[in-house]
Amino acid sequence: MAINKLTDFFNLTPKLSIVIVASSLLITLIFPGSVLSKSELQNSIGSKFGNYLAGRQAQFDSNSRVAIRYYLSALEKAPNNMFLLRRVITLLVSEGRIEEALHKTNRLLKSSIDRSNISRLILVLYNIKNQKFTLAFDDLNKFPKGGLNDYLLPMLKAWSLAGEKKHVAALRIIDQESFNQGLEALYGLQGALISEFTKNNKDAINRHISSMELRKSMNFRATILLGNLYERLNKTQKAKTLYDEYKRLRPETTILDTTYSRLKLGKKPDQAVKTIADGVAEALLSLSSAIQNQSPFQAIIYSRLAIFMRPSFTTAKLLLAEILEDNENLKEANDIFHNISNGSRYSWVARLRIAKNLDRLGETDKAIRELQIMSMEKKRRIDALVEMGNILQRHKRYQASINAYEQAKKRLKNINGQSWSLYFSLGISYERIGKWPLAEKNLLQALKLRPNHPSLLNYLGYSWVEQGLQLDRAQEMIQRAVKQRPRDGYIIDSLGWALYRLGKIKEAAKQLERAVLLRPEDPTINDHLGDIYWLLGRKNEAKFQWNRALILEPEKDQIPLIKKKIKVGLPKDKNKQRGI
């Protein structure tokens, strides 16, 4: 029952296959790279080079605000350094300071037109926002081909033409032939929105449906856009059927709660795209979502620009917050989550993310208090309790985590496949405090609900092995887990340990050697391999592995056991203690 990532709700397109990865290598056509070029170095040398270096370090540390401050100081002493100016503009955009970037754009365009695509993009968006569609379209035709331009420019051109009321020409661009299914889905959504904007609702519905069929799974943004169109056309039952299918696939989601409430009241949603600027914001969001894993900084840029085009665009703010969160900018992510946590359909999800990030920021007690408040606000929901249990478990406060999980379990109306992770987590906490009968009961219930999940197979199998229970079944379960994750060092360690307990020492050694290669930094796996080496008579190698395990900082209760083994070797009763 871990919190779903926000991209589960609004990831707009399947990844554009390996093509998008290759294109990201060409992103420097739009965005400056992080490598200091020879010409940059030559233009930056001087008495104020320290500001430049400080800015570069801050940028490397993902602290754009500080980097901007240092770069601006350097620019005061070197106002003609266009490389620095270009960096400042890009970082200003990444911070959402688009108006400031815009003020610096004209000077850069005049001085360095061949290498200023980011500035040209800002200017195009500014013109579209101010309904200067012809000027924007003409400027778009001047952009070079290659990189992400090949994905973004057709969408921007189409919306610019729509702004000139050249709707057929706009859709002709969108309908260009592509052999990439992800790209077709990306453009299909834009085509649907253009048709809807021009009141061609029948065509819009067909395009929405075709775009959704190209996707690997339902996502929130596509679902809500089509569902809202159905609602506005008084096709309420079709909208509800679409929402119900999304809810069926994600039964714990709260993101449709306000939608269902509106349906009951008979209120119609607003049109998603009311202006050309709104449509461009959708296009920028689509591309940001598509590249967020491969190119997070560029995804931040596009999300910020989407918000610039549509300041109330909550979905873009959520995506931006998640990208920041994934890149450890937790405080900034929480600032955005706080901004959208009141009155929005996303408020519950945002509050859950805030609590999780507070824990990661070291404010665990504050996170727990927030989750306690949430659990009391909605007494039928379990997600706040589950997240509370997860946080407490991570901090080894196992009994407190059990209390949270047990409360969540009492709220379950129906036990189904989605419930497996709650039972799994509860079983782990019971196992950690030594209450094995209760641990086993919950782990078996989780296994019943998800019989082939590799982590669950591994945990239950390993727990049986540790206690010398059901060794044959444990081995079979762990082997099933290995087949699913053949490069998971932890699961392979479990298999080796099961073979050891079954007396298959040589086979165990092979598996544990594999596990150490995959997870050389794990103290437990190194400790296990040391035990096996000792049993095989390879005592020097055994002591080496045990010493290595100590260096890798094992859990405190294991340290005296490992030290004893280094001193006197493996105890004769090999099964009497955990971790031997």
Side-chain angles (χ1 to χ4, degrees):
M1 291 296 171
I3 301 171
N4 289 326
K5 288 180 72 65
L6 297 172
T7 42
D8 293 340
F9 302 132
F10 57 74
N11 192 18
L12 300 178
T13 66
K15 300 301 179 238
L16 305 184
S17 74
I18 198 164
V19 177
I20 201 77
V21 180
S23 295
S24 68
L25 298 176
L26 300 173
I27 286 171
T28 50
L29 289 171
I30 297 181
F31 304 103
S34 60
V35 178
L36 184 61
S37 69
K38 182 178 179 182
S39 54
E40 282 182 290
L41 182 60
Q42 290 171 342
N43 279 280
S44 300
I45 290 174
S47 60
K48 299 304 176 182
F49 190 45
N51 279 325
Y52 177 81
L53 288 177
R56 292 284 289 127
Q57 184 60 47
Q59 189 177 356
F60 180 79
D61 293 336
S62 299
N63 194 335
S64 296
R65 293 175 189 174
V66 174
I68 290 168
R69 189 162 65 244
Y70 279 118
Y71 285 150
L72 286 174
S73 295
L75 272 172
E76 288 179 5
K77 304 299 180 182
N80 295 321
N81 190 318
M82 295 299 107
F83 296 103
L84 275 177
L85 182 59
R86 184 157 54 95
R87 284 184 183 277
V88 168
I89 290 172
T90 303
L91 289 173
L92 284 170
V93 174
S94 76
E95 286 289 305
R97 295 157 64 178
I98 314 298
E99 294 290 346
E100 291 180 62
L102 190 61
H103 289 313
K104 300 180 184 300
T105 290
N106 288 331
R107 186 157 67 95
L108 182 60
L109 286 175
K110 290 176 183 178
S111 303
S112 185
I113 193 167
D114 291 334
R115 298 187 62 193
S116 54
N117 280 1
I118 179 62
S119 294
R120 296 167 88 180
L121 178 59
I122 297 169
L123 191 58
V124 163
L125 297 179
Y126 176 81
N127 286 332
I128 290 174
K129 197 171 183 179
N130 287 278
Q131 301 185 35
K132 298 177 181 179
F133 304 119
T134 302
L135 183 58
F137 186 83
D138 291 342
D139 284 342
L140 286 168
N141 282 323
K142 298 173 185 177
F143 278 69
K145 293 182 179 180
L148 294 178
N149 284 359
D150 291 346
Y151 302 102
L152 179 62
L153 298 186
M155 295 188 287
L156 298 186
K157 288 179 181 180
W159 279 110
S160 297
L161 288 170
E164 296 182 70
K165 302 188 184 308
K166 298 177 180 178
H167 304 134
V168 174
L171 290 174
R172 191 180 300 124
I173 291 177
I174 289 296
D175 291 336
Q176 62 182 290
E177 186 176 0
S178 170
F179 298 102
N180 187 303
Q181 196 172 36
L183 190 60
E184 288 182 20
L186 182 76
Y187 287 172
L189 180 66
Q190 300 305 309
L193 292 173
I194 290 173
S195 290
E196 185 179 345
F197 181 76
T198 62
K199 309 301 182 184
N200 189 350
N201 293 321
K202 182 178 180 180
D203 184 62
I205 289 172
N206 290 334
R207 288 175 181 274
H208 272 301
I209 292 172
S210 296
S211 177
M212 291 183 76
E213 288 175 349
L214 290 169
R215 303 172 191 276
K216 294 179 180 178
S217 61
M218 291 186 75
N219 63 77
F220 178 73
R221 191 64 186 162
T223 299
I224 206 70
L225 287 171
L226 177 55
N228 284 0
L229 177 57
Y230 280 143
E231 288 185 66
R232 289 192 295 276
L233 296 174
N234 295 315
K235 298 182 179 183
T236 307
Q237 189 54 49
K238 283 192 173 184
K240 187 175 183 303
T241 299
L242 188 65
Y243 301 145
D244 287 346
E245 177 60 15
Y246 185 89
K247 181 75 172 177
R248 183 186 69 80
L249 295 172
R250 299 167 180 82
E252 292 303 318
T253 185
T254 62
I255 209 162
L256 284 170
D257 288 357
T258 56
T259 301
Y260 281 121
S261 297
R262 188 187 63 243
L263 276 174
K264 287 182 180 179
L265 294 172
K267 294 182 178 180
K268 288 184 171 58
D270 292 333
Q271 186 168 334
V273 175
K274 296 179 181 178
T275 67
I276 296 297
D278 290 345
V280 169
E282 291 281 355
L284 289 162
L285 177 67
S286 294
L287 189 53
S288 176
S289 175
I291 66 171
Q292 70 177 104
N293 292 330
Q294 297 96 332
S295 305
F297 182 72
Q298 284 71 31
I300 288 171
I301 292 284
Y302 288 135
S303 295
R304 292 288 195 188
L305 291 173
I307 296 166
F308 168 68
M309 297 302 288
R310 186 176 172 185
S312 62
F313 202 178
T314 305
T315 309
K317 293 176 183 178
L318 279 170
L319 180 59
L320 173 61
E322 180 172 289
I323 298 168
L324 292 168
E325 182 183 70
D326 287 346
N327 288 275
E328 302 300 322
N329 293 321
L330 303 179
K331 289 184 178 179
E332 193 173 353
N334 269 8
D335 287 342
I336 297 171
F337 284 134
H338 277 296
N339 182 258
I340 60 178
S341 63
N342 295 318
S344 163
R345 68 158 62 96
Y346 307 103
S347 61
W348 189 261
V349 173
R351 290 173 67 190
L352 288 172
R353 302 306 294 189
I354 288 169
K356 189 170 185 178
N357 289 338
L358 284 172
D359 173 54
R360 293 171 65 187
L361 287 165
E363 299 184 65
T364 301
D365 291 340
K366 188 175 180 180
I368 295 299
R369 284 195 300 272
E370 175 62 21
L371 291 167
Q372 286 172 334
I373 292 169
M374 293 177 69
S375 71
M376 294 302 294
E377 286 178 11
K378 296 190 177 183
K379 296 185 178 181
R380 294 184 179 182
R381 295 200 59 81
I382 71 168
D383 42 9
L385 287 168
V386 170
E387 184 56 32
M388 190 191 313
N390 293 345
I391 289 173
L392 291 164
Q393 188 182 79
R394 282 195 293 273
H395 291 279
K396 301 184 180 180
R397 295 160 62 178
Y398 296 117
Q399 186 57 58
S401 73
I402 288 169
N403 296 339
Y405 290 140
E406 288 287 7
Q407 286 184 60
K409 196 165 75 169
K410 288 177 182 178
R411 295 185 181 186
L412 285 177
K413 291 182 178 180
N414 300 305
I415 299 174
N416 54 42
Q418 298 292 323
S419 309
W420 77 276
S421 59
L422 173 57
Y423 286 95
F424 185 23
S425 298
L426 185 54
I428 290 172
S429 287
Y430 274 127
E431 187 271 335
R432 291 284 84 190
I433 63 172
K435 294 186 177 181
W436 176 246
L438 289 170
E440 186 178 44
K441 178 182 177 181
N442 282 283
L443 291 171
L444 286 170
Q445 178 63 37
L447 189 66
K448 181 179 178 181
L449 297 170
R450 284 291 291 272
N452 292 307
H453 195 283
S455 295
L456 178 54
L457 289 167
N458 178 60
Y459 197 93
L460 179 55
Y462 183 82
S463 298
W464 276 335
V465 167
E466 282 284 86
Q467 299 177 72
L469 303 171
Q470 303 202 45
L471 295 179
D472 289 330
R473 185 181 178 190
Q475 180 186 350
E476 182 271 330
M477 287 168 57
I478 296 169
Q479 284 174 328
R480 283 161 55 196
V482 170
K483 285 182 180 179
Q484 295 180 66
R485 294 183 182 170
R487 296 191 60 78
D488 190 318
Y490 298 118
I491 295 178
I492 294 169
D493 169 65
S494 297
L495 177 58
W497 209 233
L499 292 167
Y500 155 56
R501 286 298 175 92
L502 288 165
K504 302 175 182 179
I505 308 302
K506 290 184 178 180
E507 293 178 49
K510 290 180 181 179
Q511 297 300 330
L512 287 166
E513 285 170 346
R514 276 186 64 207
V516 166
L517 285 174
L518 291 168
R519 287 286 178 182
E521 77 288 354
D522 186 83
T524 301
I525 299 175
N526 281 276
D527 182 31
H528 285 173
L529 182 56
D531 292 1
I532 298 300
Y533 281 159
W534 184 272
L535 292 172
L536 290 171
R538 297 160 64 177
K539 295 185 177 181
N540 288 334
E541 292 171 272
K543 289 182 179 180
F544 173 84
Q545 293 300 144
W546 290 330
N547 275 297
R548 181 171 174 76
L550 280 181
I551 293 170
L552 294 170
E553 300 180 359
E555 293 192 18
K556 290 182 179 180
D557 64 337
Q558 294 299 303
I559 293 174
L561 299 177
I562 296 172
K563 286 183 176 179
K564 185 177 180 181
K565 287 188 288 189
I566 293 171
K567 186 175 181 180
V568 301
L570 200 63
K572 291 182 180 179
D573 185 356
K574 298 179 290 297
N575 293 336
K576 71 179 180 180
Q577 295 174 339
R578 171 185 292 276
I580 297 179

